[in-house]
C-alpha cells in the first residue's frame, strides 16, 4: 500500500506542514477513556483515580507494584488494633501556595461524608469506621477506628487530600454531627470541574477540563517531590484504539495507553517508538455455579449439575492450554495464571502449583466423575469488557469440546453480562477482576467466601460456593492487623481455594503503553497512566 | 408533543430493559450498603412506571434528569457538545452543496460526456465506502504518511457569543478538515446523483423545450427553469441529512475523537446513562420536527404553487 509516490510526497511536504511538533516540555497523552470529573471523591473509576493522582496527594500512595509508600505522611504506625498515627510531611504546599497541615486531612475526612453528588459512598465509607480523629500538632494525625481495619493505609492511598481553604470555615475538627467547623457551602462537582476547587499537592495542577475534549495540566511548581519533566500536559480521550495509535504514529501524541496488542510487534520494530508491557492486577477466570441442582444452561445425561463435582472443575482447568491462549489470542500481552493474583502481590502464593494442560487427564477425570461423554453447557462471556474477551471465550470453548464438553459461547455486551451475572443466571461464565486493594484478600473475600452481607464478603460469589474451612481462614485474615500474620493467613486461604477450584484462573491481562522516542515510561500494575512517570530521555 | 411522549416512553423502557447501570457504575469492591445507597440516590429502587412518571413530571418543567455518569443535568451535557457537532455538519453540508450541485448539474446536462461518466462512477464510490474505513484511510494518508493534519480532537477554539468554534483558528481548521471531509464525501455523492437525475429529467420537459424555442439564453434556462425546479427534492434531502448528521454522525465523531454529541451518545449507551440517552433522543426528535418545518418554509419560497395558508380565492 505504501508507494514510492507517497514517500516522495511526504518527504517534500514534511518541512512546510509540521508547525505543531511537540516541543520538549509538553506531553500529549492519548487516553482510552475519559475522566468524568476532576473531583477526586466523585466516582472511583480508573481514569478519574488516575487523574486524581496527578492533581492531588494522599497520606499514603502506592508504587508501581501496589505497595504502600509514603506521600503526605512520611511514616505511620498502629498501636493495638485500632489506633493509627500518621506523621505528616513538613514544608508541603498546595498548588496555590497554601501550606498543608493536619487540618486539611480532617477537612478531607469530613468532605467525603458531606458529598451528596458522589456516585456512591465508596470514598466516604472508610470514614464511617472512625471514632475520633485527633491532631496533637499540625503534623500528626491520630485515627481511632471502631473495628480493626488492617487495610487503613491502602484506603488512605485512595483518598485524595483537599485543601481546607476551598471552603469558608471556622475551627476545623473531626465532628461530623456539627459540620466539622465548615461554615460555607461544601465543594460541588461543578466547582471542581471549573478548576476553582481542584487544588491539591500533586505533581500537576489543573489548567482546563473540558468534558469530551480533554484535560490540560501544568506543572505544580510548589510540588514537594521531584518535579516532572513536563511544563504542560494534555490528556486527550480517544476511545478507539485505531485512531489513538494513528495519532502516535503521526506525531500528534507522545504517549498512548492500550494500543491493540496485535500492533505491538510493528511498533517494537520501529526505532521511532517504544513499548511497555506490564502485567496488571486483573485476572481473567471462569466462575461456575456449584449450588443449583439443575439449570437450563447445562444438559447432562443424568440431569445433575456437573460443576458440583470437584473432579469436573479440575478437568476443565486441565483442558485449557493457557500458554497458547496467551501467545496466540492475547499476542503475548498477558501472563498465564495459576492463582488469582500476581505473585508479587501481598499474600500471594510464592510458588503456586502450575495449572497444567492435560486433555487426556481431563477426559479421565470426567469419566471418573460419571461424565464419560461429557455434557452440554452455555458459556457466558463479555464481548467488550476485557481484552479480546470473546475470542478467549471461543478458544476455551474449543478446548472444552476436545475433552467432550460441548460449550456454547454466549457473548454479550458488558452492561447485559453484569446485570445477568448479578442475578446468578449463568452456570459457567468468564469474568475479570482487578485486585486494587488488599492484595490477595480482594479476590478471595469477594468471590470465594460465602456470601455474608453484614461482614461484606462473598458479594461476587454468584456461583454459591461455600466452604466453612476456607471462610474461617479468610475472615480471620481480613481482621488481622499484623502484616506478617495476615500474609500467612491469606496464603493459606489461597491454597484452599486453589485445591477445590470454585473459580478457575486463566490469565492476567497486561497493560500496554506506546510512546515516541525520547520518552521512557515504566507502566504500573494498577493501569494508571500517570504523566509524572513519563521521563524525558535522550 | 405526542411524538415526543411516545419516543420518551420507548427509549426509557428500552434502556431500562437492557441492564442495570449500577452494575457498571459501582466500584466492584463496594459494600452492600454502598450499593443500596447508590440505587436509592439514582432513584432506581422504585418501580419503573414510577420512575417514568417522575421523569415526565420533571420534564414538563424542563428538567430531563441528571446524568448517572457525569452527575450534571443531562440536557446541559448534551447542549455543551452541540456546537462541535453543528460546526462539523454545517461545513460538511456546505461543501456537499457547493461541490455536489454544480457537478450534478453538469452531469445532468451533459450526460454523455466522458467526464460525466467519471463523476458518476466516483459518486458511487463516495457513497458506498463505509464511513469508518474511509475515516481510517484519511487518517492513514493525511496524518500518518503525509503528516499534513492532526489525527483527531478538535484543536484550539475561540468563543463567539459564548459558543466555542474552531473554524476561526488555524489549528482548529486543521482539525476540522478530515472529519468534515469524511462527512462531506458521501453527501457530495448524494447531491451529485440527486441533481444529475433531476436535471436530466427537467431538460426534456416541455417548459424547457418551449423556453429554448423562444430563444432564451441557455444559462438563463438552467438557472431559472431547471435549477429552480430540481432544488425542491435537493432541499428536502439536505434537510433530512442535516438532521441525520447532527444526530448520528457517531461514527465520524468516534474515529476522529471529535467531542460532539454523537460520541456522547455512544458512550452513554455503553454505560446505560439513561437520562442522557432519553434526553438525547427527545432533543433529536424535536430537532427533526423543527427541520421539517424549515424545509416546508423553504418550499414555499421556491415553489409558487406551495402556499402556507390557503388564501381566499
Amino acid at each position: 500500500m505504501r508507494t514510492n509516490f507517497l514517500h516522495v510526497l511526504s518527504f517534500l511536504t514534511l518541512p512546510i506542514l509540521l508547525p505543531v511538533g511537540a516541543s520538549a516540555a509538553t506531553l500529549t497523552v492519548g487516553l482510552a477513556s475519559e475522566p468524568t470529573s476532576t473531583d477526586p471523591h466523585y466516582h472511583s473509576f480508573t481514569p478519574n483515580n488516575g487523574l486524581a493522582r496527578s492533581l492531588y496527594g494522599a497520606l499514603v500512595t502506592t508504587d508501581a507494584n501496589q505497595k504502600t509508600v509514603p506521600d503526605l505522611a512520611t511514616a505511620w504506625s498502629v498501636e493495638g488494633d485500632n489506633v493509627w498515627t500518621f506523621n505528616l510531611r513538613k514544608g508541603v504546599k498546595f498548588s496555590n501556595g497554601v501550606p498543608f497541615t493536619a487540618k486539611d486531612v480532617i477537612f478531607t475526612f469530613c468532605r467525603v461524608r458531606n458529598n451528596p453528588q458522589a456516585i456512591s459512598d465508596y470514598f466516604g465509607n472508610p470514614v464511617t469506621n472512625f471514632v475520633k480523629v485527633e491532631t496533637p500538632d499540625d503534623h500528626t494525625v491520630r485515627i481511632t477506628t471502631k473495628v480493626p481495619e488492617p487495610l487503613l493505609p491502602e484506603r488512605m492511598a485512595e483518598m485524595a487530600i483537599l485543601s481546607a481553604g476551598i471552603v469558608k470555615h471556622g475551627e476545623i475538627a473531626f465532628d461530623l454531627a456539627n459540620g466539622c467547623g465548615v461554615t460555607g457551602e461544601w465543594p460541588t462537582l461543578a466547582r471542581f470541574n471549573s478548576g476553582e476547587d481542584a487544588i491539591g499537592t500533586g505533581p500537576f495542577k489543573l489548567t482546563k477540563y473540558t468534558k469530551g475534549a480533554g484535560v490540560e495540566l501544568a506543572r505544580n511548581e510548589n510540588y514537594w517531590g521531584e518535579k516532572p519533566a513536563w511544563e504542560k500536559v494534555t490528556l486527550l480521550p480517544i476511545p478507539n484504539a485505531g485512531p489513538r495509535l494513528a495519532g502516535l504514529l503521526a506525531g500528534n501524541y507522545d504517549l498512548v495507553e492500550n494500543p491493540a496488542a496485535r500492533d505491538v510487534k510493528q511498533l517494537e520494530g520501529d526505532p521511532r517508538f517504544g513499548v511497555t508491557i506490564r502485567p496488571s492486577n486483573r485476572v481473567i477466570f471462569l466462575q461456575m455455579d456449584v449450588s443449583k441442582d439443575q439449570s437450563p444452561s447445562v444438559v447432562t445425561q443424568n440431569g445433575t449439575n456437573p460443576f458440583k463435582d470437584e473432579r469436573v472443575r479440575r478437568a476443565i482447568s486441565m483442558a485449557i492450554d493457557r500458554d497458547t491462549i496467551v501467545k496466540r489470542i492475547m499476542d503475548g500481552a498477558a501472563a498465564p495464571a495459576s492463582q488469582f493474583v500476581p505473585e508479587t502481590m501481598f499474600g500471594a502464593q510464592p510458588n503456586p502449583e502450575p495449572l497444567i494442560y492435560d486433555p487426556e487427564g481431563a477426559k479421565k477425570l470426567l469419566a471418573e466423575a460419571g461424565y464419560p461423554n461429557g455434557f452440554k453447557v452455555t458459556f457466558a462471556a463479555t464481548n467488550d469488557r476485557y481484552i479480546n474477551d470473546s475470542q478467549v471465550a471461543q478458544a476455551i470453548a474449543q478446548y472444552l469440546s476436545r475433552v467432550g464438553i460441548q460449550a456454547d459461547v454466549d457473548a454479550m455486551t458488558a452492561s447485559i453480562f453484569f446485570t445477568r451475572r448479578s442475578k446468578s443466571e449463568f452456570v459457567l461464565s468468564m469474568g475479570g477482576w482487578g485486585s486494587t486493594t488488599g492484595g490477595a484478600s480482594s479476590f478471595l473475600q469477594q468471590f470465594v467466601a460465602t456470601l455474608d452481607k453484614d461482614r461484606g464478603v462473598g458479594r461476587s460469589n454468584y456461583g454459591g460456593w461455600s466452604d466453612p474451612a476456607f471462610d474461617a481462614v479468610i475472615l480471620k485474615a481480613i481482621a488481622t492487623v499484623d502484616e506478617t500474620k495476615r500474609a500467612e493467613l491469606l496464603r493459606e486461604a489461597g491454597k484452599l481455594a486453589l485445591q477445590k477450584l470454585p473459580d478457575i484462573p486463566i490469565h492476567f491481562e497486561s497493560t500496554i503503553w506506546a510512546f515516541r522516542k525520547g520518552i521512557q515510561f515504566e507502566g504500573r500494575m494498577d493501569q494508571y497512566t500517570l504523566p509524572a512517570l513519563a521521563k524525558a530521555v535522550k | 408533543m405526542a411524538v415526543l411522549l411516545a419516543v420518551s416512553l420507548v427509549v426509557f423502557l428500552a434502556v431500562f430493559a437492557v441492564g442495570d447501570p449500577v452494575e457498571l457504575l459501582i466500584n466492584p469492591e463496594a459494600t452492600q450498603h454502598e450499593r443500596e445507597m447508590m440505587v436509592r440516590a439514582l432513584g432506581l429502587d422504585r418501580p419503573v412506571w414510577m420512575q417514568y412518571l417522575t421523569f415526565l413530571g420533571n420534564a414538563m418543567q424542563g428538567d430531563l434528569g441528571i446524568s448517572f455518569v457525569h452527575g450534571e443535568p443531562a440536557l446541559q451535557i448534551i447542549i455543551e457538545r452541540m456546537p462541535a457537532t453543528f460546526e462539523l455538519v454545517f461545513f460538511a453540508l456546505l461543501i456537499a452543496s457547493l461541490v455536489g450541485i454544480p457537478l450534478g448539474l453538469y452531469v445532468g446536462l451533459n450526460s454523455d460526456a466522458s467526464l460525466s461518466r467519471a463523476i458518476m462512477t466516483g459518486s458511487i464510490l463516495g457513497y458506498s465506502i463505509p464511513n469508518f474505513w474511509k475515516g481510517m484511510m484519511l487518517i492513514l494518508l493525511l496524518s500518518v504518511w503525509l503528516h499534513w493534519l492532526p489525527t483527531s480532537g478538535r484543536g484550539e477554539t475561540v468563543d463567539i457569543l459564548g459558543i466555542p468554534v474552531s473554524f476561526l483558528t488555524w489549528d482548529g481548521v486543521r482539525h476540522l478538515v478530515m472529519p468534515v471531509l469524511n462527512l462531506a464525501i458521501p453527501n457530495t455523492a448524494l447531491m451529485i446523483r440527486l441533481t444529475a437525475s433531476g436535471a436530466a429529467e427537467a431538460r426534456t420537459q416541455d417548459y424547457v423545450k418551449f423556453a429554448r424555442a423562444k430563444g432564451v439564453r441557455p444559462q438563463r434556462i438552467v438557472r431559472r427553469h431547471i435549477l429552480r425546479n430540481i432544488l425542491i427534492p435537493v432541499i428536502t434531502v439536505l434537510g433530512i441529512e442535516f438532521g441525520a448528521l447532527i444526530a448520528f454522525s457517531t461514527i465520524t465523531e468516534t474515529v476522529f475523537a471529535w467531542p460532539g454529541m454523537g460520541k456522547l451518545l455512544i458512550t452513554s449507551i455503553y454505560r446505560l446513562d439513561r437520562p442522557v440517552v432519553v434526553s438525547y433522543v427527545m432533543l433529536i426528535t424535536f430537532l427533526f420536527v423543527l427541520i421539517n418545518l424549515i424545509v416546508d418554509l423553504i418550499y414555499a419560497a421556491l415553489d409558487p404553487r406551495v402556499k402556507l395558508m390557503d388564501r381566499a380565492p
Side-chain angles (χ1 to χ4, degrees), chain A residues 1-3 6 9-10 13-14 17-20 34-37 42-45 49 113 116-123 125 155 158 189-190 193 208-209 211-213 236-240 242-253 272 384 413-416 418-419 422 433-437 442 446 451 453 456 459-460 462, chain B residues 16-39 41-42 66-72 76-77 80-81 132-133 136-137 139-155 157 170-171 174-175 251 253-260 263-264 266-267 269-272:
Chain A
M1 285 237 272
R2 197 185 276 221
T3 64
L6 284 175
L9 202 61
S10 68
T13 51
L14 202 66
L17 284 140
L18 250 182
V20 266
E34 165 187 33
T36 53
S37 174
Y42 170 60
H43 186 188
S44 179
F45 173 52
N49 298 348
R113 300 297 314 148
Q117 281 176 301
I119 216 157
S120 77
D121 198 26
Y122 185 81
F123 292 103
N125 207 41
R155 298 270 173 248
E158 294 180 323
L189 208 55
N193 291 349
K208 198 173 158 199
Y209 168 75
K211 229 170 243 164
L236 297 170
I238 304 112
N240 218 286
R244 196 162 61 242
L245 184 64
L248 176 75
L249 297 177
N252 301 138
Y253 314 139
R272 294 173 299 161
D384 56 2
T413 187
S415 51
I416 297 177
F418 289 121
T419 308
S422 69
W433 180 260
S435 298
T436 46
T437 49
S442 171
Q446 190 82 19
L451 176 65
K453 285 186 183 174
R459 287 183 300 262
S460 304
Y462 305 113
Chain B
F16 175 81
V18 168
D20 183 358
V22 173
E23 292 296 325
L24 295 179
L25 282 173
I26 203 157
N27 186 303
E29 297 197 35
T31 63
Q32 192 61 30
H33 174 70
E34 280 171 59
R35 179 178 295 266
E36 278 158 17
M37 291 223 339
M38 181 171 181
V39 168
L42 296 179
I66 292 188
S67 159
F68 294 162
V69 175
H70 298 280
E72 285 176 8
Q76 180 197 325
I77 293 174
E80 272 171 15
R81 306 282 184 103
F132 185 83
W133 189 81
M136 289 302 291
M137 286 303 121
I139 292 180
L140 200 61
L141 181 71
L142 296 178
S143 298
V144 178
W145 290 348
L146 299 178
H147 290 279
W148 284 358
L149 296 170
T151 45
S152 53
R154 197 175 174 200
T157 56
W170 174 233
D171 185 45
R174 281 164 44 87
H175 280 88
I251 293 174
E253 287 187 3
T254 307
V255 172
F256 294 99
W258 188 260
K263 199 169 149 236
L264 176 71
I266 207 79
T267 38
I269 290 177
Y270 277 136
R271 307 191 60 188
L272 296 179

Side-chain angles (χ1 to χ4, degrees), chain A residues 7 10-11 43 45 64 81 94 138 173 212 218-220 248 313 315 350 374 396 400 464 468 528 533:
Chain A
H7 262 304
S10 68
F11 177 74
H43 186 188
F45 173 52
D81 278 352
F94 283 97
D138 268 358
R219 185 160 61 200
N220 175 9
L248 176 75
R313 302 196 295 268
I396 290 174
L400 293 183
Y528 296 143
L533 293 185

Side-chain angles (χ1 to χ4, degrees), chain A residues 487-516:
Chain A
E488 209 169 286
L489 285 164
L490 286 177
R491 278 195 285 273
E492 195 187 329
K495 198 173 265 175
L496 286 173
L498 289 167
Q499 269 165 16
K500 304 236 166 117
L501 282 180
D503 303 279
I504 301 174
I506 306 290
H507 62 247
F508 297 109
E509 284 185 349
S510 294
T511 319
I512 309 174
W513 288 271
F515 38 87
R516 66 165 168 82

Side-chain angles (χ1 to χ4, degrees), chain A residues 174-255:
Chain A
F174 188 73
D175 179 11
L176 288 170
N178 297 311
C180 299
V182 171
T183 51
E185 190 201 351
W186 290 96
T188 60
L189 208 55
R191 268 166 54 188
F192 274 99
N193 291 349
S194 73
E196 197 185 333
D197 285 354
I199 290 160
T201 59
F204 293 98
K205 56 186 182 184
L206 185 72
T207 320
K208 198 173 158 199
Y209 168 75
T210 319
K211 229 170 243 164
V215 188
E216 284 172 34
L217 308 175
R219 185 160 61 200
N220 175 9
E221 300 298 344
N222 289 318
Y223 183 51
W224 60 269
E226 190 196 334
K227 291 191 183 70
W230 318 106
E231 267 168 37
K232 275 178 69 185
V233 172
T234 311
L235 309 169
L236 297 170
I238 304 112
N240 218 286
R244 196 162 61 242
L245 184 64
L248 176 75
L249 297 177
N252 301 138
Y253 314 139
D254 303 306
L255 166 69

